[in-house]
Amino acid sequence: MTGQVENWDEIAEWWSGEVSADPVYREDIGPMLGRLLGTASGPIVDLGCGEGQWLRRLPRELNIIGCDRSERLLAATVGDHRVVVGELPSITWLRDTMIGAAYSVFVLDLIGDMATFFAETARVVRPAGVLVVIINHPIFTAPDSGPFMDPDLDVFWRWGGYLERGESPVPAGDRFVTMYHRPLGDVLTAAAGAGWILEEMIETPLGAAAIEREPSYGGQEGIPRFLGVRWRR
């Protein structure tokens, strides 16, 4: 890794070619996002929409507005979706209570100021609206966490520094981005402090198709890998 990413335009090509093409998004994350959004009504804002994969996959009638820091990624969006260049967690370009729902996928654990993220989404989402967040499960992002195999060849998960709050570099092509680890309790408490009411929380492992493609993940079927949460105003 040659250095930290300062501008996501620097890794836009890598993201579009490597990450957004990952079938896990289609197999595991898409169904989770659809379930958590449920019957949410528009307009909806996609916080950290990247190259627009959810703008394309979710029903057009939801009237989704995309927001991302990378102009190059936004340029890859297709169709007539509205997109805005913005640096999260600030969404000052949205008026109070003008949005029916907000969602983010693998974004919150890249934002250092979690309190502002929840406060700003609570400001722009109207009463009875929803917020959906999908992230890497905190048990997965904990420092020094990871799978290990006992002498009987059973796979378990090493918790590592789960209760520690911190950040770590994550490879992004030949560069790295900063990922923030917070225990699950910190995430839920921060959301509650902004007035969000928890409705549903989903913890899932890697899907069967992903494990079949990569046999080294075998034995991790009972270990949480993704976290999805829906809150209501």
Side-chain angles (χ1 to χ4, degrees):
M1 296 185 293
T2 60
Q4 180 166 344
V5 172
E6 300 296 337
N7 183 330
W8 275 61
D9 283 348
E10 302 168 6
I11 59 170
E13 184 175 353
W14 166 80
W15 176 270
S16 296
E18 298 293 329
V19 178
S20 65
D22 188 338
V24 166
Y25 282 83
R26 180 183 67 255
E27 296 162 353
D28 300 323
I29 305 306
M32 182 190 292
L33 178 60
R35 169 176 166 177
L36 290 171
L37 279 175
T39 58
S41 59
I44 294 177
V45 62
D46 180 334
L47 299 171
C49 68
E51 80 302 338
Q53 63 175 305
W54 305 118
L55 300 181
R56 295 191 294 271
R57 293 175 180 175
L58 291 171
R60 185 171 295 273
E61 57 267 24
L62 289 177
N63 188 17
I64 305 175
I65 306 166
C67 172
D68 201 89
R69 65 172 67 174
S70 169
E71 293 186 38
R72 289 187 64 188
L73 285 174
L74 289 177
T77 60
V78 297
D80 57 357
H81 293 287
R82 294 172 292 167
V83 293
V84 175
V85 178
E87 185 75 21
L88 299 172
S90 174
I91 43 176
T92 55
W93 51 275
L94 287 171
R95 298 191 306 275
D96 294 1
T97 66
M98 71 172 291
I99 297 296
Y103 68 85
S104 68
V105 178
F106 297 136
V107 171
L108 183 58
D109 40 13
L110 298 175
I111 294 176
D113 188 353
M114 180 171 61
T116 295
F117 174 88
F118 284 118
E120 275 289 272
T121 50
R123 177 184 65 81
V124 303
V125 173
R126 59 179 175 250
V130 301
L131 169 65
V132 171
V133 169
I134 296 175
I135 57 174
N136 294 287
H137 198 287
I139 198 173
F140 178 81
T141 61
D144 300 319
S145 65
F148 72 93
M149 186 177 295
D150 72 4
D152 295 325
L153 304 184
D154 292 323
V155 177
F156 296 91
W157 191 264
R158 181 188 300 110
W159 283 67
Y162 175 77
L163 294 177
E164 299 174 16
R165 296 152 185 90
E167 56 191 68
S168 58
V170 177
D174 62 351
R175 312 291 294 281
F176 70 86
V177 296
T178 298
M179 177 174 287
Y180 297 90
H181 167 72
R182 300 115 171 170
L184 180 54
D186 285 10
V187 177
L188 300 183
T189 299
W196 287 108
I197 300 170
L198 176 65
E199 280 200 334
E200 184 174 8
M201 186 173 77
I202 304 172
E203 300 171 284
T204 66
L206 278 172
I211 293 176
E212 183 177 356
R213 282 191 301 272
E214 182 49 71
S216 65
Y217 292 135
Q220 298 186 38
E221 294 85 349
I223 297 170
R225 177 65 173 79
F226 307 118
L227 173 71
V229 189
R230 180 181 67 242
W231 292 274
R232 192 169 295 276
R233 286 269 283 121

